[in-house]
């Protein structure tokens, strides 16, 4: 671990982690946007994950989600755990694009699920939340026959206003911004960088080299290695 990077973590009072699929690949959840990912293998994947498809073919949407999005055996890895530990010290906030619930399982205290969470399921008819186990058995709410759906942001849906507010507030107060396992090319998530505290140090930890119009430190390596070496 570079001593200056370790010092940046040690000195920071308000860290924001901006994270993506690369955080969960070590837990066995594939990166859908990678060369061999779901989006490459299925050209209609974005349509199958749209509200338009959900409304027009709810059974097809349900089967697609069950087959491609749920990985019940996946467990948090060292990246989730170390970031969660920093949030438990009230020194960090995680803003993630991931919808896999692993940050919750790791005990993350300050967390913004920017795109929602697959394991939060609710009935569109009555609004009641139901256990995910119930949803994986049937897409129909047994109390009122309403359609169940995971609380995730589908294509052609907007980000929840509260998630935007919480994310922007965290970015504005951060003194260290750490980008982990994401190309930062998907908007509006990528646009959060525009709201960063301009005095904050920015570090990117990613297998592929990233490029931004502002000064930042690029750590081009596997994030699991980085967080195994980081002292929290």
């Amino acid at each position: 671990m570079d001593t200056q990077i370790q010092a940046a973590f040690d000195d920071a009072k308000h860290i924001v982690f901006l994270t993506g699929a690369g955080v969960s690949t070590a837990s066995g959840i594939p990166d859908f946007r990678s060369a061999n990912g779901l989006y490459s293998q299925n050209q209609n994947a974005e349509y199958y994950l749209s509200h338009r498809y959900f409304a027009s073919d709810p059974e097809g949407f349900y089967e697609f989600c069950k087959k491609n999005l749920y990985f019940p055996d996946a467990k948090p890895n060292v990246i989730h755990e170390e970031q969660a530990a920093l949030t438990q010290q009230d020194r960090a906030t995680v803003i993630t694009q991931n919808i896999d619930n692993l940050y919750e399982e790791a005990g993350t205290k300050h967390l913004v699920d920017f795109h929602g969470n697959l394991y939060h399921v609710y009935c569109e008819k009555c609004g009641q939340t139901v256990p995910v186990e119930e949803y994986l058995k049937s897409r129909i709410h047994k109390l009122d026959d309403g359609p169940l759906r995971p609380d995730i942001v589908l294509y052609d849906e907007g980000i929840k206003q509260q998630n935007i507010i919480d994310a922007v507030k965290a970015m504005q107060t951060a003194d260290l911004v750490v980008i982990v396992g994401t190309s930062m090319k998907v908007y509006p998530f990528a646009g959060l960088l525009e709201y960063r505290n301009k005095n904050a140090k920015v570090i990117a930890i990613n297998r592929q080299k990233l490029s931004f119009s502002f000064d930042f430190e690029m750590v081009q390596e596997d994030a699991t290695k980085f967080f195994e070496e980081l002292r929290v």
Side-chain angles (χ1 to χ4, degrees), residues 16-23 33 83 93-99 103 111-116 153 158-159 163-164 166-168 170-171 177-196 210 212 214:
V16 168
F17 292 104
L18 295 172
T19 76
V23 169
R33 295 182 184 277
Q83 291 177 6
T93 298
V94 175
I95 308 172
T96 187
Q97 299 169 85
N98 298 340
I99 56 177
Y103 275 113
L111 174 65
V112 180
D113 282 320
F114 202 71
H115 293 153
V153 180
I159 305 293
N163 284 347
I164 295 173
D166 292 344
V168 168
M171 291 297 293
V177 175
V178 186
I179 298 164
V180 187
T182 174
S183 63
M184 293 302 289
K185 290 180 179 177
V186 175
Y187 283 83
F189 186 84
L192 291 174
L193 286 172
E194 298 300 319
Y195 295 93
R196 74 190 189 282
L210 305 184
F212 300 112
F214 51 83

Side-chain angles (χ1 to χ4, degrees), residues 127-139:
Q128 182 180 335
T129 58
V130 303
V132 68
E133 293 80 11
E134 186 176 320
Y135 175 64
L136 293 176
K137 291 176 183 174
S138 171
R139 66 175 186 83

